[in-house]
């Protein structure tokens, strides 16, 4: 059965979102965060998120299986038509189409919110995300060499963007 479409996350989803996210904090370079996000931090973020910066969750069989967000790309006002997209799917549920559903839904939300430029900032090692975004029309817009360091490795960061 197809899962229901992604819905807006609430503070009650903080633990489920972090269970997915903190796996990548500890084990991967998908995020450059190195310490677990706490439930309090996430719940606070969710409470503070305005409607034009949605965080969404995808559920399968009543469990949160992935999440995504549109967040400010930069704080300066002239960046207001630009948003940064992120998505995370539970590590044991990859390659089942969940990431595509989450990102496509975020793109639809971004369009209806009036954003013009969608940016994703991805570690070079996040090949799944890079491939997924390119399949949805994102183009590589640049690479910052060796700006990250995690697990003793210097890491390049790739910028991808989609213009509406
Ligand atoms: C990136 C991520 C969200 C994709 O979610 P997913 O549910 O596994 O992706 P989907 O099943 O929807 O895959 C859609 C397409 O993306 C591409 N893709 C996804 N994972 C891939 C991988 N590991 N290698 C190559 N291509 C991949 C493929 O083109 C795939 O289509 P296909 O399966 O028909 O070939 C997921 O792998 C993830 O959470 N990764 C770790 C977190 C992360 O890197 N987040 C990005 C931070 S910016």
């Amino acid at each position: 059965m197809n899962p229901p479409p992604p819905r807006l996350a609430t503070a009650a989803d903080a633990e489920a979102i972090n269970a997915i996210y903190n796996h990548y904090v500890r084990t991967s370079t998908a995020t450059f965060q190195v310490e677990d996000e706490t439930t309090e931090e996430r719940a606070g973020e969710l409470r503070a998120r305005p409607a034009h910066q949605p965080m969404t969750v995808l559920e399968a069989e009543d469990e949160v299986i992935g999440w995504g967000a549109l967040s400010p790309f930069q704080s300066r006002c002239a960046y207001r038509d630009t948003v940064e997209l992120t998505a995370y799917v539970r590590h044991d549920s990859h390659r089942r189409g969940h990431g595509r559903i989450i990102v496509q839904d975020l793109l639809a939300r971004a369009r209806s919110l009036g954003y013009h430029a969608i940016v994703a900032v991805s570690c070079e090692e996040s090949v799944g995300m890079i491939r997924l975004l390119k399949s949805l029309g994102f183009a590589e817009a640049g690479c910052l060499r060796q700006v990250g360091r995690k697990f003793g490795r210097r890491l390049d960061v790739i910028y991808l963007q989609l213009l509406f």
Side-chain angles (χ1 to χ4, degrees):
M1 203 174 71
N2 287 337
R7 62 166 174 80
L8 285 177
T10 72
D13 297 307
E15 215 167 308
I17 287 170
N18 279 358
I20 295 168
Y21 181 69
N22 285 335
H23 169 84
Y24 297 110
V25 171
R26 293 179 207 136
T27 66
S28 89
T29 54
T31 168
F32 283 7
Q33 189 165 333
V34 295
E35 285 181 8
D36 278 7
E37 185 90 359
T38 67
T39 306
E40 295 68 37
E41 285 166 338
R42 184 69 75 184
E45 179 201 343
L46 281 158
R47 280 190 210 98
R49 266 187 182 263
H52 65 283
Q53 290 164 17
M55 181 172 279
T56 59
V57 290
L58 179 70
E59 289 171 307
E61 293 165 9
D62 291 331
E63 268 189 71
V64 173
I65 200 156
W67 63 276
L70 299 176
S71 305
F73 172 60
Q74 297 280 347
S75 60
R76 298 279 191 223
C77 188
Y79 285 109
R80 64 188 172 282
D81 294 341
T82 301
V83 75
E84 183 177 337
L85 181 150
T86 48
Y88 292 84
V89 168
R90 204 170 70 195
H91 67 94
D92 58 1
S93 299
H94 286 183
R95 296 308 280 270
R96 297 181 199 168
H98 301 309
R100 187 180 293 279
I101 290 171
I102 293 166
V103 173
Q104 282 180 321
D105 172 76
L106 287 173
L107 293 179
R109 290 174 192 268
R111 195 182 281 278
S112 64
L113 287 164
Y115 288 111
H116 174 65
I118 318 302
V119 173
V121 182
S122 182
C123 178
E124 56 172 324
E125 295 182 349
S126 296
V127 289
M129 187 62 166
I130 294 167
R131 185 91 55 97
L132 169 58
L133 293 175
K134 285 184 175 173
S135 79
L136 292 171
F138 280 74
E140 253 181 71
C143 173
L144 294 181
R145 306 256 305 142
Q146 301 188 13
V147 290
R149 181 163 58 85
K150 192 169 179 182
F151 308 132
R153 301 199 290 282
R154 294 209 185 275
L155 299 163
D156 295 354
V157 164
I158 295 174
Y159 281 72
L160 298 111
Q161 77 169 146
L162 178 69
L163 296 179
F164 286 150

